[in-house]
Amino acid sequence: MKSLVRRLDIAVLVAAGAALLACTGRPESGPESGRVTPALGADTQRLTAGDWKVIGAGDFNLDGSADVLWANPVKSAMAVWLMRGTHLLLPGPAIPGPLGAGWSALTPADFNFDGLADVPWSNAGTSTMETWLLAGPHLLLPGPEIPGPVGEGWSAVTAADFNLDGFADMLWYNAGTNRMAVWLMAGTRLLQAGPELPAPPGPGWIVSTAADFNYDGMADVLFNNPTSNEMSVWLMSGTELLAPGPVIPGPSGAGWSAVTAADFNLDGMADVIWTNSAHGSMAVWLMNGPLLRHPGPELPGPIGAGWSVAYAADFNFDGMADAIWQNAAPTRMAVWLMSGTHLLLPGPEIPGPADLGP
């Protein structure tokens, strides 16, 4: 009962905040930042439709189903689109990112334990990060800029709960030194900076995402090597490495990338979704911890060239992840509902953010 009341209270606050912003047209801003986020339709720098990309998905309005986060890396902007299954419910306004060049929005996660997704930002040029708290598709509070680990080449790459406290934490990666570090967060502020840890040996490795692969409630790290077409899951225990998983060859053929990880079969453990942009196809691989349980079949994507899987999340509240497709020419997306490794229902194509500004 307390959980239900808490969820209802949060939902009321989100609705009230969105209504206030819509009625007043006042800028979304934070007292710490000095930033101003114009309301939709304000006189802003032009944001072209072709620059928008699907970055990730999370529950931004506490309805139990995923919504879509768009980002414009050229103009350092973002927009949250609320979804109802495979259909668009409400396109949120474009929100300019942190001041200065080089900022990119990362996949959303809940940083303040309110059940709503928030958005972290990364600046690879300055090796810094920020966490922005959201209330639905609107900015609630921009967090302070936080310097990354000491040394050049560090980037904040993804966020997830690494220590089972209900708050998202930040994963840093240095491609030059092939090392990573987990930083525990308390909302928008740093709680504890974890030690530098090795990544899989050899060149070409990147961090795809962080997710819980062994059902302990704490995030683990999915590495992908697009050059060698391999993946590896490293199990974590907070800021420390628990066990490095084996290197697993990807689907046969060239052009495959391990996009992200989510639970596709309702067993509480993350699985891996692959995409091949050259073929416009995907494949879901069911995992058992760091080991491959079952490689799903290759599935063709939406009709036409240019489609690739951008992310995976639960869009229909059945506890199993679904796939988000995107196409840059022209900018559009489609949510495909999945049942394990098989397609359940392909959703319609949805045009992406239109040109904004004068």
Side-chain angles (χ1 to χ4, degrees), residues 80-202:
V80 173
W81 282 22
L82 302 182
M83 303 292 295
R84 179 171 290 164
T86 62
H87 295 271
L88 175 63
L89 179 64
L90 175 69
I95 302 175
L99 291 176
W103 289 97
S104 299
L106 303 178
T107 54
D110 181 10
F111 279 86
N112 59 337
F113 198 40
D114 64 353
L116 301 171
D118 307 300
V119 178
W121 293 83
S122 175
N123 193 316
T126 59
S127 294
T128 54
M129 62 158 282
E130 292 189 15
T131 298
W132 284 21
L133 305 182
L134 277 91
H138 299 278
L139 176 61
L140 181 64
L141 177 69
E145 185 173 351
I146 300 174
V150 176
E152 297 182 352
W154 288 96
S155 296
V157 289
T158 193
D161 184 6
F162 280 88
N163 62 336
L164 205 61
D165 65 352
F167 296 88
D169 308 299
M170 183 58 63
L171 177 65
W172 294 84
Y173 183 65
N174 192 318
T177 60
N178 198 27
R179 298 179 72 81
M180 65 174 177
V182 173
W183 282 22
L184 304 182
M185 303 292 295
T188 62
R189 301 186 180 275
L190 175 62
L191 179 65
Q192 178 190 341
E196 292 186 23
L197 302 172

Side-chain angles (χ1 to χ4, degrees), residues 1-10 62:
M1 179 59 72
K2 290 182 179 179
S3 176
L4 176 60
V5 170
R6 178 173 174 270
R7 290 172 66 91
L8 289 174
D9 288 343
I10 294 171
L62 209 62

